[in-house]
Structures are given as C-alpha cells and as structure tokens.
C-alpha cells in the first residue's frame, strides 16, 4: 500500500513564525502536492512538484514556498505565518503515469495564533 | 476556466440508495475522480471515469457523460459508515497530474 506520511497531525504556531510542514511518500512517486482545505472552499492546490528540485505554483501559492530536495520528501514552508493560514493542510502524491490516483497523507491541522 | 458543482449537503436513510451529482465545465477534460473523506481524515480514492458510462464497484457506482459534463456517484444499501464528504474532481489533458476538486458533498446517513 502507498503510504504518505505528514510529520504532524496538529500544530500551533504564532503569527510571524516560520513553519515547516513535512511530507514523505514511500512509493517512488514522481508527483507530489500540497493542498489546504477550508470549510466551503474544498481542496485548493498550493504547490506541486513533478520531479526533484522542480516545483510549480498552484492556485493559491501566496505566502507559501516549497522544497523538494529528494524524490520522497516534499516540504511546505510558511515564511511568516499569518492567522489566515490557519487551515487543514494535506499532502498527496501520484505515480505520474496511468490513472494518476492521488494518495493523501492524514493531514496537518495548523492553527496560527 | 474550470468549474465543478456538487450539492453541499445531502441526507439519506440507512439501507436506501443515494445519488450524488457533479457537473463540470473544464477545457480539455481528461477524466473524473470520486473521493470519500470522513471527518478529520484524508480523502481516499473511490473511482475514476474516463469513458462514458457506468462503472460499478460493489455498493458504489460512478457514471460519466462527457458530452453533458456530468457525473454521479451512486451509493446502494447505505450504511452508517458511509456518512462522509464525497469529492468530485477532474483532470485535464494540459496537466494530467493535477486534479481540480469540487467543494464536496457532505452526506449524512440517518438510521
């Protein structure tokens, strides 16, 4: 089974802090994604990566950056956390071929105070 | 642009059948996914339709009409554990790896 692991289930940070959300997948998938999920807005794509050191902006990249130094790991960085970044963050990966089913991590619920 | 519409909430009775509809307007439509998401958990894959027609998988079936920009998810013999959000999502030819998600339909099952 594909396993996508997010480093934290819950995080509480203060406004202005630098925040790192880590995601690791164990199936040698090419593509990795970061979403945020808010009530009534569904899943919104922040950034995705289709190869090591490659990244593309999604629909809402402002205030975020990403890093993919190794194929299995995709990090989401909030350079200076703000209260409007309080949300559920979901990481996903896909093989890059075939049906490209997205496999999700359990999510990180981030609260910025 | 891309647009996906599905009802926000639905309620159904245990043992019954429910149909969750999804309409989409996308350029370069490739395929359509349905995901299930229980409260506080990650979405999990249910089905993927590329061709027109019905695909059945146990109690769940998914239908696609490409010409109408329409899909539905049919759940039979409803169980309490089917209470969850159901997410419709599409992919396009221009970026087959990216998925565009609808806002989801929250389904509540009553005894």
């Amino acid at each position: 089974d594909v396993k996508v692991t997010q480093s934290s289930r819950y995080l509480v940070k203060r406004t202005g802090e630098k925040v790192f959300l880590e995601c690791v997948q164990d199936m040698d998938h090419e593509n990795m994604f970061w979403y945020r999920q808010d009530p009534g807005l569904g899943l919104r794509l922040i950034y995705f990566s289709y190869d090591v050191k490659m990244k593309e902006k999604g629909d809402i990249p402002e205030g975020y950056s990403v890093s993919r130094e190794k194929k299995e790991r995709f990090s989401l960085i909030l350079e200076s956390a703000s209260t409007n970044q309080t949300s559920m963050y979901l990481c996903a990966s896909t093989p890059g071929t075939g049906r490209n089913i997205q496999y999700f991590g359990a999510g990180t619920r981030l609260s910025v105070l | 642009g891309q647009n996906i519409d599905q009802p926000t909430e639905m309620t159904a009775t245990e043992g019954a059948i429910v149909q969750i509809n999804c309409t989409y307007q996308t350029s370069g439509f490739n395929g359509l996914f349905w995901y299930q998401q229980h409260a506080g958990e990650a979405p999990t894959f249910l089905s993927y339709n590329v061709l027109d027609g019905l695909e059945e998988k146990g109690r769940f079936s998914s239908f696609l009409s490409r010409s109408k920009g329409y899909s539905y998810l049919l759940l039979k013999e409803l169980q309490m554990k089917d209470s969850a959000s159901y997410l419709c999502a599409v992919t396009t030819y221009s970026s087959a790896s990216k998925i565009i998600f609808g806002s989801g339909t929250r389904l509540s099952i009553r005894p």
Side-chain angles (χ1 to χ4, degrees):
Chain A
D1 277 351
V2 176
K3 190 166 185 183
V4 180
T5 303
Q6 293 183 229
S7 53
S8 305
R9 286 301 305 271
Y10 301 95
L11 271 180
V12 180
K13 297 291 181 180
R14 297 209 173 271
T15 302
E17 277 193 78
K18 190 169 187 176
V19 181
F20 292 86
L21 302 183
E22 305 287 345
C23 176
V24 177
Q25 51 94 3
D26 66 357
M27 280 301 290
D28 201 35
H29 281 178
E30 299 292 327
N31 306 319
M32 297 187 75
F33 305 80
W34 275 106
Y35 297 90
R36 63 176 285 176
Q37 187 173 33
D38 302 287
L41 296 177
L43 279 160
R44 293 182 292 167
L45 181 64
I46 304 171
Y47 267 97
F48 70 101
S49 168
Y50 50 89
D51 201 352
V52 175
K53 296 191 186 296
M54 305 299 286
K55 61 185 179 184
E56 280 199 29
K57 292 179 180 179
D59 301 315
I60 51 164
E62 295 79 19
Y64 303 94
S65 62
V66 290
S67 172
R68 193 164 181 204
E69 296 297 317
K70 294 184 178 181
K71 191 174 186 179
E72 67 270 19
R73 185 180 298 270
F74 193 35
S75 303
L76 180 69
I77 303 153
L78 287 66
E79 294 290 342
S80 178
S82 62
T83 55
N84 63 13
Q85 291 178 311
T86 292
S87 186
M88 170 67 90
Y89 289 88
L90 288 160
C91 174
S93 71
T94 68
T97 58
R99 291 184 298 175
N100 261 328
I101 296 169
Q102 294 217 346
Y103 296 90
F104 286 86
T108 297
R109 186 166 292 282
L110 174 67
S111 296
V112 183
L113 306 178
Chain B
Q2 324 280 10
N3 192 43
I4 300 172
D5 288 312
Q6 50 182 132
T8 304
E9 292 190 38
M10 296 182 71
T11 302
T13 304
E14 190 176 17
I17 298 172
V18 72
Q19 177 174 310
I20 303 174
N21 296 324
C22 172
T23 57
Y24 61 88
Q25 293 107 34
T26 60
S27 49
F29 173 82
N30 184 24
L32 188 142
F33 287 92
W34 283 97
Y35 281 80
Q36 180 190 58
Q37 185 178 25
H38 286 101
E41 297 182 12
T44 55
F45 169 78
L46 287 178
S47 66
Y48 180 57
N49 293 68
V50 176
L51 303 176
D52 285 356
L54 186 70
E55 297 222 359
E56 298 184 71
K57 194 187 295 184
R59 294 189 299 114
F60 291 8
S61 303
S62 57
F63 171 83
L64 176 67
S65 168
R66 296 175 68 105
S67 62
K68 294 183 179 177
Y70 168 69
S71 172
Y72 67 73
L73 181 69
L74 191 72
L75 291 74
K76 303 176 185 176
E77 301 169 17
L78 286 169
Q79 302 175 10
M80 298 303 293
K81 66 179 182 179
D82 297 330
S83 292
S85 289
Y86 292 86
L87 311 179
C88 173
V90 301
T91 59
T92 64
Y93 286 113
S94 61
S95 184
S97 293
K98 282 176 60 177
I99 295 182
I100 304 158
F101 284 89
S103 297
T105 298
R106 187 183 309 159
L107 176 65
S108 299
I109 309 299
R110 55 177 176 240

